[in-house]
Amino acid sequence: WGLEDRKNELKALTKSCGIDVLSEIVCRIKEFTPKFLIGKGKVEEIADLVYRTEADVVIFGSDLSPSQHQNLEESLEAKIVDRTQLILNIFATRALSNEAKAQVELAQLEYLLPRLSRMWLHLSRQHGGAGMKGPGEQQLEVDRRRVRSRIIKLKKELKEITQQRKLRRSQRKKGLIFTVSLVGYTNSGKSTLFNSLTDENIKAKDQLFSTLDPTIRKIKLSNNKTILLSDTVGFLHNLPHHLIESFKATLEEVVEADLLLHVVDMSDNRMEELVCDVFNVLDELGVKDKPIFTVLNKMDLIDGELERLRIARKFEMPLVVSALKKTGLSELMDRISGFLNQDTEEIELTIPHTHMNLVRQIEAKGTMIDEKYTENGVYIKAYVPKMLKFSIFKELQKNRPKSS
C-alpha cells in the first residue's frame, strides 16, 4: 500500500464516521518516538494547524499507545482518535442487531481498558498524598472493574449466540442445504449483489462497512435446487486482529460455508492489493482453501469490453457482473449450479408411499430425470447430492421389514 492509498482510505474512513476533513498532513519519520509516535517538530506543526482550522479532532492513520494518546491530547488540546478507534466508531454507528452491538461494544471496551490508566490522573495529582490513594485512583479502579465485568458478560452473551448459530447450522446441514457466503473488501458491492440475487432490500450504500450483521436468505437455482446465501461484514486493509476476534460469531457463516463468492470491485485502482488483504483475513480465519469463485463487480463502471477483458485476465475463471444493473447474474447462478452438480450421483429406485418425505427431499435438493407414481410406490430417477443418497438408502434400509 502506497502513501497516497493509505491517506485516501483514512479520509474515506473519516467521512464514513461523519467527520469533515478540514486539512491533512503527512508525517515522514525514520522511527516512531515513544512519547508522541511522531517527532516534536511535527507535533508543533499539527498544533498550529489545529489552531488555524479550529479543528475539534485530530485523527492518526496509525494506532497509538495509551501514553502517546494522552501526551498528544495534552499537547494539541484536541480530541485524538487513532485508526482502530475510528473504525470502532464507524462500527458503532452501523450496528443494528443486538449481536452486532455486543460485538462492537466488546471491541470498544477491550480497546478502552488499557487506556483507562491515565484518564483520572489529574484528580490523583490534586488530591493524592504520600501513603494514600487519591479519589481519581479510586475511581480508576472502579472503572477498571466495571469494564472487566462487562467484557466477561459480553463474551458470555456472544458465546451463547455462537452456540445458537451452531445449532441452526447443524439443522441446516441435516437438511443438506448447500451454503454460499459472500466475502470481499468493504464497499465492493456485496450487499448490492445479495439484494440482486435474493430480491431483498438489505441496506447497501456507497460507504465503508454498510453491513455488519450477517443476513441469510434462500435462493432457488435454475435446476430447482435451493441454496442459502449469506452476506457478511466487509474486510479492510490491516484490519485490527481484535476486531476479527470480536466478530468471529458473525464470520462463522464464512467458516461454515460450502462455497465462497469473493466479490471484487474491478473499478478500484488498488484491486490487486485489496484482493491480497481479503485473502489475509481468510487465511486468519482458516478458510482460504475453501472453493472460491471470483466475482468481478461494477463492470458498468469500466469503459469498453477490451478493458474488462484485460482486468479479467488477472484472475482464474472470474465472473464479470454488475450487481447494480443485474448484468451477468444468470451466468453466476449457472456456475453455482454446475458446482453443485459436481458433487451429485444418479439414483434409480422406487420409494414406498410411506416414505413420501424422501420423495420431497429429492424434489427439493436433487435434479429429477423421471418420476412415476405406481402401486408399489414412487419410481424416481434423479441426480442427488452424495450425502442425500447415503441418507435415503440408510432410511430405507432401517425401515425394511426383517425376513422371517
Side-chain angles (χ1 to χ4, degrees):
W1 278 62
L3 177 63
E4 197 66 25
D5 292 331
R6 295 202 302 273
K7 188 172 72 172
N8 288 338
E9 181 160 89
L10 184 64
K11 195 184 294 185
L13 287 167
T14 303
K15 289 179 178 178
S16 293
C17 203
I19 301 172
D20 295 326
V21 179
L22 301 177
S23 185
E24 55 192 67
I25 188 169
V26 175
C27 302
R28 290 182 173 87
I29 52 177
K30 291 182 180 179
E31 58 182 358
F32 296 137
T33 63
K35 187 173 182 180
F36 295 116
L37 184 79
I38 55 177
K40 189 177 180 181
K42 277 293 180 185
V43 173
E44 292 172 356
E45 190 178 339
I46 294 171
D48 180 60
L49 196 59
V50 168
Y51 177 77
R52 285 189 286 109
T53 59
E54 297 182 351
D56 301 309
V57 182
V58 178
I59 298 172
F60 281 75
S62 301
D63 286 342
L64 301 168
S65 70
S67 61
Q68 289 167 347
H69 197 281
Q70 179 69 24
N71 293 335
L72 285 165
E73 279 202 340
E74 289 176 357
S75 298
L76 301 178
E77 297 182 357
K79 181 177 175 60
I80 303 299
V81 176
D82 65 15
R83 186 172 181 269
T84 295
Q85 193 176 1
L86 185 65
I87 294 169
L88 286 171
N89 286 342
I90 297 170
F91 277 21
T93 60
R94 302 282 193 269
L96 297 175
S97 70
N98 291 333
E99 177 186 0
K101 288 175 182 177
Q103 290 173 134
V104 172
E105 187 183 352
L106 174 61
Q108 285 178 319
L109 290 176
E110 288 183 333
Y111 171 86
L112 176 65
L113 185 59
R115 287 161 175 78
L116 284 173
S117 58
R118 292 175 177 266
M119 293 179 69
W120 299 95
L121 197 59
H122 60 290
L123 294 174
S124 181
R125 278 202 298 262
Q126 288 174 10
H127 301 286
M132 58 183 293
K133 288 186 176 181
E137 194 170 348
Q138 291 173 3
Q139 182 63 55
L140 171 61
E141 291 304 320
V142 170
D143 286 349
R144 277 177 175 164
R145 281 197 300 272
R146 285 175 178 169
V147 170
R148 288 194 185 105
S149 63
R150 182 63 180 158
I151 286 173
I152 292 169
K153 186 177 179 182
L154 286 169
K155 284 184 175 180
K156 185 179 178 182
E157 286 178 14
L158 289 171
K159 190 175 181 181
E160 290 173 359
I161 291 171
T162 302
Q163 292 300 323
Q164 291 168 7
R165 284 190 179 280
K166 282 182 179 177
L167 181 61
R168 287 199 295 269
R169 276 195 296 268
S170 65
Q171 289 171 345
R172 293 203 301 259
K173 286 187 178 295
K174 285 179 183 177
L176 300 169
I177 300 180
F178 193 82
T179 57
V180 179
S181 186
L182 298 173
V183 297
Y185 206 83
T186 182
N187 207 30
S188 62
K190 298 189 310 302
S191 294
T192 304
L193 180 61
F194 183 88
N195 288 339
S196 297
L197 292 173
T198 61
D199 293 325
E200 286 286 335
N201 192 27
I202 305 302
K203 182 181 177 183
K205 290 187 178 181
D206 183 18
Q207 62 183 18
L208 305 182
F209 302 115
S210 63
T211 302
L212 283 188
D213 297 293
T215 311
I216 305 169
R217 294 291 183 273
K218 283 185 178 181
I219 300 180
K220 184 161 279 191
L221 302 175
S222 55
N223 58 4
N224 287 325
K225 290 184 179 178
T226 300
I227 66 168
L228 286 175
L229 182 69
S230 65
D231 183 23
T232 54
V233 62
F235 301 156
L236 188 72
H237 170 64
N238 205 16
L239 191 66
H241 178 78
H242 71 273
L243 283 186
I244 298 175
E245 285 298 314
S246 296
F247 279 79
K248 275 281 176 71
T250 298
L251 294 170
E252 277 185 1
E253 295 299 336
V254 175
V255 175
E256 297 295 331
D258 298 303
L259 173 68
L260 302 180
L261 300 183
H262 178 195
V263 184
V264 180
D265 179 359
M266 66 186 301
S267 69
D268 197 313
N269 295 327
R270 304 164 300 164
M271 178 182 63
E272 292 173 77
E273 289 87 349
L274 304 188
V275 168
C276 288
D277 287 323
V278 169
F279 273 94
N280 286 338
V281 179
L282 293 178
D283 189 25
E284 189 160 350
L285 293 171
V287 297
K288 73 171 186 176
D289 294 326
K290 277 184 179 288
I292 300 175
F293 290 169
T294 301
V295 182
L296 299 180
N297 189 27
K298 305 187 183 182
M299 64 177 287
D300 52 300
L301 300 181
I302 305 297
D303 293 327
E305 186 64 27
L306 285 176
E307 181 61 16
R308 291 172 191 160
L309 289 171
R310 184 190 70 79
I311 296 172
R313 276 198 293 268
K314 297 178 180 180
F315 300 90
E316 185 179 350
M317 296 179 65
L319 292 142
V320 183
V321 307
S322 169
L324 188 64
K325 305 290 184 182
K326 298 187 177 182
T327 308
L329 300 189
S330 58
E331 290 85 350
L332 172 58
M333 300 290 269
D334 290 342
R335 180 76 68 85
I336 296 172
S337 298
F339 181 81
L340 265 67
N341 288 336
Q342 291 176 5
D343 198 38
T344 60
E345 289 187 0
E346 183 179 326
I347 60 169
E348 186 175 4
L349 74 167
T350 299
I351 298 177
H353 293 298
T354 54
H355 288 72
M356 290 302 292
N357 63 312
L358 298 179
V359 176
R360 286 191 290 272
Q361 284 187 51
I362 295 170
E363 289 172 342
K365 303 177 182 81
T367 303
M368 284 292 187
I369 302 171
D370 193 11
E371 183 178 11
K372 293 175 185 174
Y373 284 78
T374 68
E375 290 183 4
N376 297 326
V378 185
Y379 166 79
I380 285 178
K381 188 175 183 181
Y383 286 103
V384 297
K386 292 177 183 177
M387 286 178 63
L388 180 57
K389 176 185 175 181
F390 174 77
S391 65
I392 287 170
F393 282 104
K394 186 177 180 181
E395 182 73 16
L396 293 175
Q397 186 71 29
K398 183 174 66 175
N399 291 279
R400 182 178 295 174
K402 295 180 181 179
S403 57
S404 54

